Amino acid sequence: MNPEKIESPTIDQVGVEERVAKLKSRSIKKDSKVHALKMAMSMIDLTTLSGDDTPGKVRQLCYKALHVHDAYPGLPTVAAVCVYPSMVKVAARHLEGSGIQVASVATSFPSGQSNLSLKLEETRYAVEEGASEIDMVISRGRFLAGDVQYVFDEIATVKEACGKAHLKVILETGELSTLDNVRRASDLAMHAGADFIKTSTGKIAPAATLPVTLVMLEAIRDYYYETGVKIGMKPAGGIRDSKTALQYLVTLRETLGNDWLSPDLFRFGASSLANDLLMQLEKQRTGRYQSADYFSLD
Amino acid sequence: MAKKKNKEKTRIHFDTDWKYDPAPESVEHIKVNKQYEHYIGGSWKSPNEGKYFNTVNPASGKRLARIASGSTSDIDDAVAAARKAFGPWSALPGKERGKWLFKLARQIQERAREFAVIESLDGGKPIRESKAVDIPLAAAHFFYHAGWADKLTYAFPGRNPEPLGVAGQIIPWNFPLLMAAWKLAPALATGNTVVLKPAETTPLTALKLAELIDDLGFPPGVINIVTGAGDTGAALVQHPDIDKIAFTGSTDVGKEIQKSIAGTGKKLTLELGGKAANIILEDAAIDQAVEGIINGIYFNQGHVCCAGSRLLVQESIESKVIKKLKDRMSTLVIGDPLDKNTDIGAINSRAQLKTIQKYIELGAKEGGEIFQCEGSLPDGKGFWCKPTLFTGLAQSSTLVKEEIFGPVLAVQSFRTLEEALTKANNTPYGLSAGVWTDKGAKIFKMTTKLKAGIIWANTYNKFDPASPFGGYKESGFGREGGLHGLSAYVTF
């Protein structure tokens, strides 16, 4: 397919911001809040992506993923643990049989400034090590230079290299500068074979924002209208508290409806969000806020 | 990768286990009296003929208060009080009149929540809209005109603006406090005194405003509020000692008023009905345009004179836009006006609900294809109507021609810009219009040729006290807001 021919509608930023302001004003209370907090927990890709990650640190994170719900009976587990390729093996070993996925970033994360063969090699390596989900970055420089064919082919070949692993395509919206670009990159990624589209690496500010997420969700909706295929969405970076997470879920619910309210089609790339969700759930259960010291920091 | 085309199944399912729990605004701090009298000459006066009527909560059908019904003699009293107050009020330095208006504006801001809740109780509009639109804009109108009060000679340079005298003002039920502010603020800033008649279904916020005016110790007789229905309004219009009539309401009543004061020398401004075309071109930012169309017609249950009640969509994107509209309509929350999550509240009155239902039946009879979202309406004795969309209508369909004043959108398609302009202008009304396109050149082309007083481009229902509001043709004449609005209350 010729990616130049993909038709993306223009985006009116003022209109997007107005819509987001309305969505943010939804009041989520009581049972509906508990329901949403649990749902948010089930959608978390618990993430550590640092230069100083060690097997020990990753082991701790996996332990947390497995036991986050000990304190709160009936709580779903997080969806995945997301690490660098070199840590995939450790994570896979600790999460085996738990149903929690191992996601790995790849393709010269976070900048993507390398050549395609190395990116493919890295992708295959991560999959071989045991990753069932690959979070790739697109070449933003190529995209901004207008070389959409390159970006399209890049995504399509990485998708091939993934084999059975799911592919999440990181657009790094903080570097795309306009919502029009976010929309075009979303359409490009979906047509090239993305299973998920994802906002950010978390290394660039701004990371995920609601306007960007809304535009991407609307792109997913149009793609669904057109093809009947459901693409997933993953906002990542900057979503630290329950209130913000609920705003994302409201936006999701009122844009894509019930089918997307599932970890199969929506994820949060976040690390500290899990603790805040736990704290809010405890607040709902006991009527009081507990000290942050009662929630383990991993 | 093989991706099957399966368009039939591509419906978005908004029915989910994750329901929003009720989030009602508290009403504990609200005080509504069992009975309200007229506010005349700075005090509360029982109606001379002793008659009262009920104002009800349209979400429950229950009575909120008994309201004094104004007779000709009540109007006589109110006009006499306004006449008596006119001399001293108009002689006050502009700066002093400005101070009173600033005080009023600040008080409305301080008591915004109380006003918002009462507005939603009495009129059925969602609390979100009362809080975000009605009350802040009402305060803004007083602030804006307070600023003009001592600068009138700069507003009209080289001329000598003088107040007209006593203004009779009749306001509608769709934005009760906001319309009171639109009428009162310019009249008072320019030195006129006022007799105001609120709508019979929504008098409470105007009466709360009277309480506030009383608390502030406003000079007696400057603002008089007489409640009642059409007869009370007619008595006000026909009173010989009125210098100016300002009316917002239906075109039929507007015509009656114009007839009845012909030859009397009374000044007149009319802000009447509308049947605005919201025009969406194929290059528009579609999702944002869809949002604008929803806001244009379903804002305040469609009880908006400038509502975008006709959608003209370019044929190449028609099916896409209609599909998106239907999906968006399915996410609108209909119910308790006091719930913070409510998007569509109650229809203002039983009579208005009947009118809307009559039009919906007529639309189906005339061959239109109706869409309403699934789900049930709230139980009880309130007045409810689902957001409704009609496709397959012709320019000659009643639903395209007549103002419904409810949540009913009539959709038509067009092929060229010329056709869109012809259709948009082919109406006796000319209040407002909307254009959605990504191309600046098309905005200029369309907006210069649309015959409407207010035209929005890539947005809708935006109001500001500095921006004049008013219509062409049978949508009335005169402007409210801005310098134009000010000039309707002065003579040179």
Side-chain angles (χ1 to χ4, degrees):
Chain A
M1 113 169 266
N2 180 355
E4 308 266 357
K5 292 234 168 101
I6 299 170
E7 280 181 24
S8 298
T10 55
I11 306 295
D12 185 296
Q13 187 174 344
V14 176
V16 170
E17 282 165 5
E18 270 183 21
R19 176 78 182 115
V20 163
K22 263 194 185 166
L23 289 163
K24 279 169 83 169
S25 74
R26 287 283 189 228
S27 178
I28 309 297
K29 300 264 189 274
K30 299 175 198 158
D31 288 350
S32 63
K33 186 168 184 182
V34 172
H35 187 112
L37 291 170
K38 288 183 181 173
M39 188 159 58
M41 184 66 85
S42 76
M43 292 167 163
I44 290 181
D45 282 3
L46 212 53
T47 302
T48 182
L49 293 169
S50 305
D52 58 1
D53 283 350
T54 63
K57 194 175 165 193
V58 170
R59 206 159 46 232
Q60 272 180 37
L61 194 71
C62 292
Y63 187 85
K64 178 166 184 138
L66 290 166
H67 296 279
V68 80
H69 49 293
D70 286 359
Y72 199 97
L75 192 66
T77 60
V78 297
V81 166
C82 182
V83 293
Y84 270 117
S86 57
M87 294 295 146
V88 167
K89 196 169 246 172
V90 183
R93 193 164 63 233
H94 283 87
L95 295 174
E96 203 178 347
S98 67
I100 299 171
Q101 306 294 312
V102 179
S104 171
V105 295
T107 71
S108 300
F109 182 94
S111 74
Q113 296 284 19
S114 182
N115 80 9
L116 186 56
S117 61
L118 288 173
K119 291 181 184 180
L120 294 174
E121 190 61 35
E122 191 187 8
T123 304
R124 283 188 212 103
Y125 167 70
V127 173
E128 277 162 22
E129 292 281 284
S132 53
E133 300 179 355
I134 296 294
D135 290 26
M136 74 170 284
V137 292
I138 64 165
S139 296
R140 283 87 75 189
R142 294 277 193 155
F143 177 84
L144 291 171
D147 196 352
V148 290
Q149 184 74 55
Y150 180 90
V151 179
F152 182 90
D153 293 343
E154 178 181 60
I155 297 167
T157 45
V158 172
K159 171 70 184 168
E160 266 177 41
C162 282
K164 280 187 183 166
H166 273 242
L167 176 63
K168 305 191 198 110
V169 177
I170 302 171
L171 309 179
E172 195 64 303
T173 52
E175 288 183 342
L176 296 184
S177 115
T178 65
L179 291 178
D180 281 317
N181 277 344
V182 169
R183 172 68 198 225
R184 273 195 288 270
S186 302
D187 288 339
L188 191 66
M190 290 187 290
H191 279 97
D195 298 302
F196 264 72
I197 50 177
K198 175 174 168 183
T199 59
S200 323
T201 59
K203 307 290 182 192
I204 294 286
T209 65
L210 272 172
V212 156
T213 302
L214 177 61
V215 168
M216 291 169 73
L217 292 173
E218 285 170 347
I220 290 171
R221 185 171 62 190
D222 284 341
Y223 189 76
Y224 174 64
Y225 283 155
E226 197 186 315
T227 65
V229 176
K230 291 173 186 164
I231 304 293
M233 171 71 199
K234 179 176 172 185
I239 304 162
R240 291 187 186 87
D241 56 45
S242 302
K243 191 178 172 190
T244 313
L246 294 195
Q247 290 169 351
Y248 277 85
L249 290 180
V250 165
T251 304
L252 177 67
R253 180 188 187 272
E254 299 199 20
T255 310
L256 288 168
N258 189 50
D259 296 0
W260 268 263
L261 291 175
S262 146
D264 293 342
L265 287 168
F266 193 83
R267 298 283 180 84
F268 287 110
S271 39
S272 54
L273 174 62
N275 269 4
D276 196 67
L277 291 172
L278 275 178
M279 201 189 286
Q280 292 296 333
L281 280 165
E282 279 299 288
K283 159 77 171 34
Q284 291 298 316
R285 187 168 67 170
T286 63
R288 287 171 207 90
Y289 279 108
Q290 313 290 316
S291 158
D293 288 341
Y294 285 112
F295 304 94
S296 56
L297 295 168
D298 286 302
Chain B
M1 191 157 92
K3 284 175 180 170
K4 275 186 216 158
K5 288 229 168 192
N6 193 348
K7 290 200 177 179
E8 293 76 50
K9 286 190 180 167
T10 61
R11 276 208 53 204
I12 308 275
H13 303 285
F14 289 105
D15 195 19
T16 152
D17 290 343
W18 181 29
K19 310 271 185 248
Y20 297 154
D21 280 332
E25 181 77 31
S26 155
V27 293
E28 279 160 22
H29 62 296
I30 301 304
K31 193 174 138 275
V32 175
N33 298 344
K34 289 209 168 110
Q35 182 170 311
Y36 283 91
E37 316 298 340
H38 301 309
Y39 186 70
I40 295 172
S43 55
W44 298 95
K45 296 257 172 70
S46 304
N48 290 333
E49 293 183 3
K51 286 188 187 153
Y52 291 86
F53 62 95
N54 293 334
T55 184
V56 302
N57 177 347
S60 66
K62 286 190 185 136
R63 181 171 81 187
L64 287 164
R66 267 159 55 87
I67 307 291
S69 179
S71 60
T72 308
S73 79
D74 295 326
I75 293 289
D76 285 344
D77 292 350
V79 175
R83 179 58 64 193
K84 195 174 155 204
F86 174 63
W89 178 252
S90 58
L92 269 188
K95 190 176 73 179
E96 296 302 318
R97 288 200 306 271
K99 276 188 195 167
W100 283 113
L101 291 181
F102 275 125
K103 278 185 198 171
L104 204 50
R106 280 197 298 269
Q107 280 299 309
I108 291 171
Q109 274 187 329
E110 277 190 16
R111 293 169 66 174
R113 219 166 76 103
E114 180 186 358
F115 273 108
V117 171
I118 294 175
E119 203 73 299
S120 286
L121 274 175
D122 201 18
K125 65 172 63 202
I127 185 73
R128 173 149 87 170
E129 290 175 8
S130 315
K131 270 188 185 170
V133 181
D134 291 69
I135 312 306
L137 266 180
H141 269 267
F142 282 112
F143 275 119
Y144 175 81
H145 288 94
W148 273 128
D150 61 346
K151 303 174 193 71
L152 294 174
T153 49
Y154 297 91
F156 307 104
R159 309 178 78 186
N160 184 27
E162 298 279 349
L164 297 170
V166 176
Q169 305 183 322
I170 301 171
I171 56 171
W173 46 259
N174 56 345
F175 295 90
L177 184 71
L178 180 57
M179 290 301 106
W182 279 27
K183 297 271 186 284
L184 289 172
L188 299 177
T190 45
N192 301 275
T193 55
V194 172
V195 178
L196 177 94
K197 188 198 87 67
E200 67 270 30
T201 61
T202 56
L204 285 183
T205 43
L207 291 163
K208 273 277 157 190
L209 188 70
E211 277 180 9
L212 198 151
I213 288 163
D214 203 47
D215 291 348
L216 284 173
F218 233 79
V222 171
I223 302 170
N224 305 277
I225 296 180
V226 179
T227 43
D231 292 346
T232 315
L236 180 58
V237 168
Q238 283 155 15
H239 197 284
D241 202 26
I242 290 278
D243 299 296
K244 145 102 189 176
I245 292 291
F247 172 76
T248 298
S250 74
T251 295
D252 287 345
V253 175
K255 285 177 178 173
E256 284 299 314
I257 290 174
Q258 199 173 5
K259 266 186 224 160
S260 76
I261 66 167
T264 63
K266 290 174 190 169
K267 297 232 178 200
L268 178 64
T269 46
L270 295 173
E271 201 266 272
L272 309 175
K275 191 74 188 175
N278 217 347
I279 305 168
I280 163 164
L281 307 184
E282 59 189 357
D283 53 32
I286 290 180
D287 287 309
Q288 289 76 57
V290 164
E291 195 55 32
I293 290 156
I294 294 282
N295 167 42
I297 181 61
Y298 300 126
F299 177 60
N300 197 25
Q301 296 74 247
H303 304 327
V304 185
C305 47
C306 56
S309 51
R310 287 188 290 154
L311 170 63
L312 292 173
V313 53
Q314 198 149 17
E315 196 175 84
S316 52
I317 54 165
E318 187 187 6
S319 61
K320 196 189 283 182
V321 167
I322 289 172
K323 182 166 189 165
K324 281 170 182 269
L325 274 174
K326 288 178 177 175
D327 272 345
R328 179 67 180 92
M329 283 167 73
S330 305
T331 66
L332 292 170
V333 179
I334 308 163
D336 178 10
L338 287 175
D339 193 302
K340 289 168 204 153
N341 287 328
T342 293
D343 297 315
I344 309 281
I347 298 300
N348 188 271
S349 65
R350 189 187 304 279
Q352 187 57 27
L353 178 61
K354 280 193 181 145
T355 304
I356 297 165
Q357 284 166 342
K358 185 194 80 188
Y359 275 111
I360 291 176
E361 281 164 27
L362 198 64
K365 233 182 256 170
E366 288 188 347
E369 203 174 304
I370 184 172
F371 172 82
Q372 291 180 321
C373 24
E374 290 160 19
S376 53
L377 290 171
D379 299 332
K381 295 196 170 143
F383 317 134
W384 309 99
C385 179
K386 283 187 176 179
T388 305
L389 175 152
F390 271 98
T391 51
L393 297 173
Q395 189 72 10
S396 55
S397 305
T398 311
L399 266 65
V400 170
K401 290 197 293 191
E402 294 183 10
E403 181 181 45
I404 301 170
F405 225 62
V408 182
L409 178 66
V411 184
Q412 294 173 274
S413 67
F414 69 89
R415 283 130 291 271
T416 63
L417 298 195
E418 285 66 29
E419 187 188 352
L421 283 167
T422 306
K423 282 185 164 164
N425 288 335
N426 177 213
T427 164
Y429 296 111
L431 187 56
S432 59
V435 179
W436 300 83
T437 169
D438 202 40
K439 289 203 165 59
K442 287 187 190 172
I443 289 177
F444 285 115
K445 176 171 178 167
M446 301 291 282
T447 52
T448 50
K449 289 182 178 165
L450 283 165
K451 291 271 185 295
I454 310 106
I455 303 172
W456 288 288
N458 292 332
T459 187
Y460 208 87
N461 278 342
K462 289 281 181 296
F463 307 95
D464 189 283
S467 170
F469 184 98
Y472 273 65
K473 301 194 282 188
E474 291 192 13
S475 291
F477 46 78
R479 294 289 179 267
E480 293 181 298
L483 277 179
H484 303 69
L486 219 49
S487 67
Y489 286 94
V490 293
T491 180
F492 301 106

